[in-house]
Amino acid sequence: MKPGIHPEYRPVVYRDRAADFAFLTRSTATSDQTVEWADGNTYPVIDVQISSASHPFWTGRQRLVDTEGRVEKFRAKYARHGAKQG
């Protein structure tokens, strides 16, 4: 690696506020916000909207989606065409 051209690689905390979950890892990401970690050190913190603690694939929980409005809209759109009987 050429010296002086790469961003600094340092410990960073990623925090998912929705799931009240945070983890410490290394990254080149930067942030003006900091947080004190369990080891007593202060690290930059980056807030994320979704993580393994809140993603439906990893948690097994799915969000309920209101599909009734879409189904009714579909039926209303194609009701005027009539159903073809064969």
Side-chain angles (χ1 to χ4, degrees):
M1 288 188 355
K2 283 186 171 180
I5 64 168
H6 298 285
E8 183 183 354
Y9 189 64
R10 64 180 177 277
V12 175
V13 173
Y14 283 90
R15 178 174 54 191
D16 181 354
R17 289 185 180 247
D20 193 29
F21 176 72
F23 59 93
L24 178 65
T25 187
R26 295 182 55 84
S27 177
T28 59
T30 59
S31 176
D32 294 332
Q33 299 177 351
T34 59
V35 67
E36 186 172 336
W37 194 246
D39 62 4
N41 294 325
T42 302
Y43 299 105
V45 64
I46 298 179
D47 291 321
V48 294
Q49 292 182 359
I50 196 160
S51 69
S52 61
S54 61
H55 194 281
F57 179 80
W58 299 108
T59 61
R61 295 187 318 250
Q62 291 186 344
R63 294 181 185 169
L64 296 175
V65 178
D66 180 23
T67 59
E68 183 177 340
R70 288 186 275 168
V71 171
E72 292 304 318
K73 191 174 184 179
F74 175 83
R75 287 182 180 157
K77 181 178 179 180
Y78 290 102
R80 62 180 174 251
H81 296 291
K84 292 185 179 181
Q85 304 266 329

